[in-house]
Amino acid sequence: MSHPLPPVIGIICSEFQTDEGQAPPRFGQSQTYIQAVLQAGAVPLLIPEVADPARLRRLYERLDGLLLPGGGDVDPVHYGEVRHERCGRVTPIRDETELALVRWAAAEGKPLLGICRGIQVLNVALGGSLYQDIEAQLPGAGKHDWYPGYPRDHLPHPVAVTPGSRLARILDTTSLPVNSLHHQAIKKVAAGLTVVARAPDGIIEGVEGTGHPFLIGVQWHPEELAGQDVRARRLFDALAEACRA
């Protein structure tokens, strides 16, 4: 008896340097993303930064879904702002790669989950903007950059999830504690996205696409929690199930 093939989920890589700059630059991604996708019964496929849209499209067409992981800052040029002094390192080719993938997936109904930087890329790709640094641009906001110096699974604040939203149904809750490893956040929400989760200070922690089979972004890092937290695992399970459908 044959079994359906597991879905293939693309995970965009980061560029990094090893051996204090002595080795060539490399592409890679945190093992926690890969393990979370495997745990959900899917096949992770690492995608490098690809400058050529035609070659990137060939990769995209072989995927059943996409996972946009965390990483550096999105260049504010993509949402029409001047770079703030506290905007961090940007990677132009990664921006172009992810923005193209998001726009294709949003237009064509391909399942997509954005995490941390991923929710920000999702918002920018569809016409939204970001706070380039929460502390500098949003006085009164709580602390959200709990890394480095704290474990990546440290849960410093809760998130309120909109009752009845797809995210609430997936997580099976309207409130949960989350880890928080970011200094940027959504400012203007893109058309086509609905805010479905917020931190106590109002920072947007979750969005989902309207009229799309599965287009979800979360600001926290569920991949760091999926090994021991069933609610974190449900996000990856839901992505894999949407890809199978």
Side-chain angles (χ1 to χ4, degrees):
M1 181 178 179
S2 62
H3 297 279
L5 293 173
V8 177
I9 296 176
I11 306 174
I12 290 75
C13 288
S14 295
E15 182 180 323
F16 64 97
Q17 197 91 37
T18 60
D19 301 331
E20 298 182 349
Q22 299 304 307
R26 304 181 185 189
F27 289 120
Q29 197 46 264
S30 298
Q31 292 183 17
T32 46
Y33 293 109
I34 297 164
Q35 291 163 352
V37 169
L38 288 169
Q39 191 173 32
V43 175
L45 178 65
L46 295 183
I47 300 175
E49 298 166 7
V50 179
D52 179 10
R55 298 185 193 191
L56 181 62
R57 182 72 194 191
R58 281 184 63 83
L59 270 172
Y60 167 83
E61 290 173 349
R62 283 153 176 76
L63 303 174
D64 299 302
L66 283 161
L67 193 161
L68 300 185
D73 293 348
V74 180
D75 193 327
V77 71
H78 295 296
Y79 47 94
E81 290 191 8
V82 175
R83 184 183 174 98
H84 190 278
E85 63 180 7
R86 294 181 69 172
C87 181
R89 177 177 177 266
V90 299
T91 310
I93 298 178
R94 181 172 177 183
D95 284 353
E96 296 293 345
T97 298
E98 292 185 325
L99 291 168
L101 291 170
V102 169
R103 289 167 183 150
W104 291 335
E108 299 169 22
K110 185 163 289 190
L112 183 150
L113 173 63
I115 293 174
C116 196
R117 170 189 161 95
I119 187 178
Q120 297 165 12
V121 173
L122 170 59
N123 187 59
V124 171
L126 300 183
S129 66
L130 305 176
Y131 292 107
Q132 295 186 44
D133 184 80
I134 295 170
E135 183 181 35
Q137 297 182 311
L138 199 60
K143 180 177 174 62
H144 287 266
D145 54 343
W146 292 83
Y147 181 85
Y150 294 83
R152 292 179 67 85
D153 59 356
H154 176 58
L155 307 175
H157 69 76
V159 160
V161 185
T162 304
S165 63
R166 179 191 290 268
L167 184 60
R169 294 195 299 272
I170 290 170
L171 297 173
D172 194 28
T173 187
T174 57
S175 179
L176 73 162
V178 299
N179 50 357
S180 187
L181 313 174
H182 62 104
H183 82 109
Q184 297 196 327
I186 290 176
K187 182 167 64 175
K188 174 191 170 187
V189 181
L193 294 179
T194 300
V195 176
V196 292
R198 289 185 185 269
D201 59 5
I203 290 289
I204 294 171
E205 294 275 347
V207 297
E208 54 191 48
T210 55
H212 190 285
F214 192 97
L215 191 68
I216 292 177
V218 297
Q219 188 58 74
W220 67 94
H221 278 266
E223 82 286 353
E224 298 289 347
L225 310 173
Q228 67 274 4
D229 187 310
V230 65
R231 288 172 300 193
R233 287 198 296 273
R234 286 182 182 136
L235 269 171
F236 299 97
D237 291 343
L239 173 62
E241 186 57 36
C243 291
R244 293 186 187 97

